[in-house]
Amino acid sequence: MKDLMTTAQSNRAVRRWGAPGVVMFALALALAAPGQALAAKQPRQTVEAVAPREAGEPIMAIVSIKSQQVTFYDSEGWILRAPVSTGTTGRETPAGVFAVIEKDRDHHSTMYDDAWMPNMQRITWNGIALHGGPLPGYAASHGCVRMPFDFAERLFDKTNIGMRVIISPNDAAPVDFSHPSLFVPSKEAIAAAPARADKLLVEEEEAVRAADEAKKAASAAAKEAQSLPAMLRKLEQQKARADAENAYADKLVANAKNDQARAKADELKQKAAAKAADAATQLDAAKAAAQPKRDAVAATKEAAKVAAAKKVEAVKAATDAKLAMEPVSVYISRATQKLYVRRNTHKPAPDGGGEVFDTSIEVPVTIRNPDQPIGTHIFTAMAKSGAGLRWSVVSIDEGDDAKDALDRITIPQDVWDRIAPTALPRSSIIISDEPLSAETNYRTEFVAVLSNHPQGGFITRKPTAPPVEMASDDGWGGNGFFFFGQRDPYAQPVNPRRRAGQYQYYQPAQPMPMQRSFW
């Protein structure tokens, strides 16, 4: 519309001024052109804005690198908007999919001379975050997303751990979307979830108690039988010596040359035979007494094994029941041909910083035409809608449109049956050409960066801590066993895309020690 109006105004000027006027008008346009071209290169300056309605809980934030702005959305649409300053050339803010994983109101950098980064909301452990900072009107950070100081302060208490943060190379916004492959929750399953969780929690507690008792019984039986080998070995040695003395006495009797020597040998033989018989009796009695103890060790050990297995099953069932009442996030990667599931346990990370995310589901997935790009699409359940959910989609990379991307994927039905019935608002499904970044671990939601866009502010930072194996009774930080993180925390992207002859993804040279923060 603006271009049409400009053309119409130019035509009127020709008619009004005549030929000389046209020449002067053209000259004026030519002189103004350089300034207009320079202005066109500058990002459009966004002003802070608040939606003229009551805002709900933020579900997602979308950062536009092109427009240097961030927009926050609740279930009904945008609620907050502000200018930002993203990473400068060589330290670009990575475009991709992230989530808030830690918040710190008064954060100070450990990488940049204790620089103040107030109201920090971390989205990667290697140091990319949203925070308050100076805004010169263009990209100027070391990779973080700076927001106006007052805006960051007002925003801080509104967001939660796990809120989706999408960093897009261009302008992007959620669009209403529907598709049969998206979660369709069951009203009955959602209503029954709390009672089911309580019931399974009781069963878990009983299973844990039974496992502990069985373990104690097995330990007591093993302790009681602990001295058996040494005692039996001592009696066997005594019997061996007695048998040797008895055999020696037999030789003396056989070799006796006279009655006196024979009588002496017979007396020694009687004593040796009695001693050997007594040693054999003691050994047989000890063996007989030891057998029940050995049987008890085997029985209690087996009982402890069975109880431990029941405990694992009960813990898993109770954990799934608790997680069923949390929004679920699914990531489907064309690069790895896998589907990953993440849900926040809201348990503090045992090594400090952030919260633990459940990572127990990781399965192969079938993608039709796997060599063809599919794009990066973030489907989000914005709110309840009748008996189902109202969905939106944000697409931030070239490839199929959102519908075609979902059509190409065959999702394992057993996984959907496990998580879809209790899917809640703020659940999400992400489809991408990209593998999960090595930044994805037990303390993060999904972290995936677009490999065909600059990542300088991401690549130059040290890698995050590798996943660790930790003890857990309930899968959330107790005394049993639970495995956090990916199988290969330093796995590199499969089929990465190129940009200017360089692979644009994070590639740590070697595992690094656990550190709380690098920036």
Side-chain angles (χ1 to χ4, degrees):
M1 180 62 72
K2 182 178 179 182
D3 293 340
L4 292 174
M5 291 177 66
T6 302
T7 302
Q9 291 170 356
S10 299
N11 291 336
R12 285 198 297 272
V14 170
R15 290 194 297 269
R16 185 167 62 247
W17 296 341
V22 172
V23 173
M24 293 302 293
F25 183 71
L27 180 60
L29 287 177
L31 291 174
Q36 292 175 348
L38 180 61
K41 293 181 180 179
Q42 299 297 323
R44 173 164 48 90
Q45 294 302 301
T46 303
V47 296
E48 290 186 40
V50 179
R53 60 179 176 83
E54 184 176 352
E57 178 184 338
I59 293 177
M60 73 175 77
I62 301 179
V63 177
S64 170
I65 295 176
K66 176 184 178 181
S67 297
Q68 292 291 284
Q69 73 173 19
V70 61
T71 306
F72 290 81
Y73 296 85
D74 68 2
S75 62
E76 299 302 321
W78 77 273
I79 52 175
L80 297 167
R81 181 172 290 130
V84 298
S85 183
T86 59
T88 189
T89 302
R91 292 184 177 273
E92 296 88 353
T93 300
V97 182
F98 308 87
V100 174
I101 55 177
E102 185 187 40
K103 300 173 67 173
D104 185 358
R105 191 179 293 279
D106 188 28
H107 186 77
H108 289 260
S109 171
T110 58
M111 176 178 282
Y112 300 117
D113 299 324
D114 201 39
W116 186 40
M117 298 177 175
N119 300 295
M120 182 274 293
Q121 302 194 49
R122 186 190 297 275
I123 59 175
T124 73
W125 286 110
N126 73 356
I128 305 295
L130 314 179
H131 63 79
L135 304 183
Y138 49 84
S141 79
H142 286 83
C144 287
V145 177
R146 298 181 193 165
M147 302 180 292
F149 285 107
D150 292 345
F151 181 87
E153 183 176 6
R154 293 194 304 272
L155 174 71
F156 190 83
D157 290 330
K158 300 180 185 298
T159 61
N160 293 314
I161 299 295
M163 185 195 74
R164 175 75 60 226
V165 177
I166 301 167
I167 300 180
S168 175
N170 301 300
D171 295 342
V175 177
D176 288 344
F177 186 82
S178 62
H179 192 279
S181 292
L182 299 174
F183 301 138
V184 179
S186 163
K187 185 178 180 180
E188 293 75 16
I190 292 175
R196 181 173 181 270
D198 290 342
K199 175 178 178 292
L200 291 173
L201 179 61
V202 172
E203 293 180 4
E204 175 193 12
E205 291 172 350
E206 293 175 351
V208 169
R209 183 166 54 252
D212 289 343
E213 291 175 356
K215 186 177 180 180
K216 289 178 181 177
S219 178
K223 186 175 182 180
E224 186 177 355
Q226 187 175 9
S227 61
L228 289 178
M231 181 188 68
L232 292 175
R233 188 163 52 250
K234 182 178 179 181
L235 291 175
E236 286 171 350
Q237 291 172 349
Q238 289 178 355
K239 182 178 181 299
R241 286 196 296 271
D243 288 342
E245 291 176 5
N246 192 33
Y248 176 71
D250 284 338
K251 289 183 179 180
L252 290 178
V253 171
N255 294 329
K257 302 297 184 181
N258 51 52
D259 293 341
Q260 184 179 1
R262 186 175 295 104
K264 189 175 181 180
D266 285 340
E267 182 181 358
L268 183 62
K269 165 64 179 173
Q270 290 177 3
K271 292 180 179 179
K275 187 176 181 181
D278 184 55
T281 300
Q282 290 184 46
L283 179 59
D284 291 341
K287 286 181 177 180
Q291 192 57 45
K293 294 181 180 180
R294 285 173 169 168
D295 292 342
V297 170
T300 54
K301 185 177 180 180
E302 181 61 26
K305 184 178 179 181
V306 171
K310 289 182 178 179
K311 171 185 169 182
V312 169
E313 292 177 1
V315 167
K316 182 178 180 299
T319 299
D320 281 348
K322 285 185 283 188
L323 291 173
M325 296 185 289
E326 293 292 329
V328 59
S329 294
V330 174
Y331 189 90
I332 300 172
S333 169
R334 182 180 68 88
T336 63
Q337 301 285 293
K338 284 188 177 182
L339 179 151
Y340 311 83
V341 176
R342 281 252 190 310
R343 285 177 289 194
N344 192 357
T345 68
H346 301 292
K347 297 291 182 177
D351 48 354
E355 298 177 354
V356 172
F357 285 78
D358 176 74
T359 65
S360 57
I361 301 178
E362 177 183 324
V363 296
V365 69
T366 301
I367 300 178
R368 190 173 70 253
N369 301 324
D371 295 332
Q372 297 180 11
I374 202 168
T376 295
H377 312 276
I378 303 96
F379 305 89
T380 305
M382 304 299 287
K384 293 180 180 178
S385 177
L389 295 169
R390 174 166 55 81
W391 289 82
S392 72
V393 64
V394 179
S395 298
I396 62 171
D397 199 14
E398 297 177 358
D400 287 342
D401 64 27
K403 178 184 179 301
D404 290 342
L406 274 173
D407 287 343
R408 285 174 58 186
I409 297 171
T410 302
I411 298 168
Q413 189 60 46
D414 61 326
V415 174
W416 246 221
D417 291 343
R418 182 175 172 183
I419 61 180
T422 56
L424 300 172
R426 293 187 291 118
S427 294
S428 61
I429 301 171
I430 303 164
I431 299 173
S432 181
D433 293 301
E434 308 295 347
L436 287 174
S437 164
E439 275 293 302
T440 304
N441 60 43
Y442 68 96
R443 295 189 299 166
T444 73
E445 224 248 36
F446 297 119
V447 179
V449 294
L450 302 188
S451 61
N452 58 341
H453 289 273
Q455 302 167 23
F458 187 77
I459 296 172
T460 56
R461 296 165 188 266
K462 295 179 181 179
T464 190
V468 294
E469 178 182 311
M470 307 205 61
S472 167
D473 249 344
D474 57 3
W476 292 3
N479 299 315
F481 294 100
F482 184 67
F483 299 92
F484 299 109
Q486 300 182 137
R487 292 188 177 90
D488 183 1
Y490 297 98
Q492 295 308 311
V494 179
N495 300 324
R497 291 172 287 175
R498 287 179 176 266
R499 177 181 174 87
Q502 297 294 322
Y503 288 120
Q504 299 292 321
Y505 56 71
Y506 178 61
Q507 187 173 14
Q510 59 185 1
M512 300 296 291
M514 171 72 74
Q515 296 191 35
R516 172 69 187 276
S517 170
F518 294 106
W519 58 292

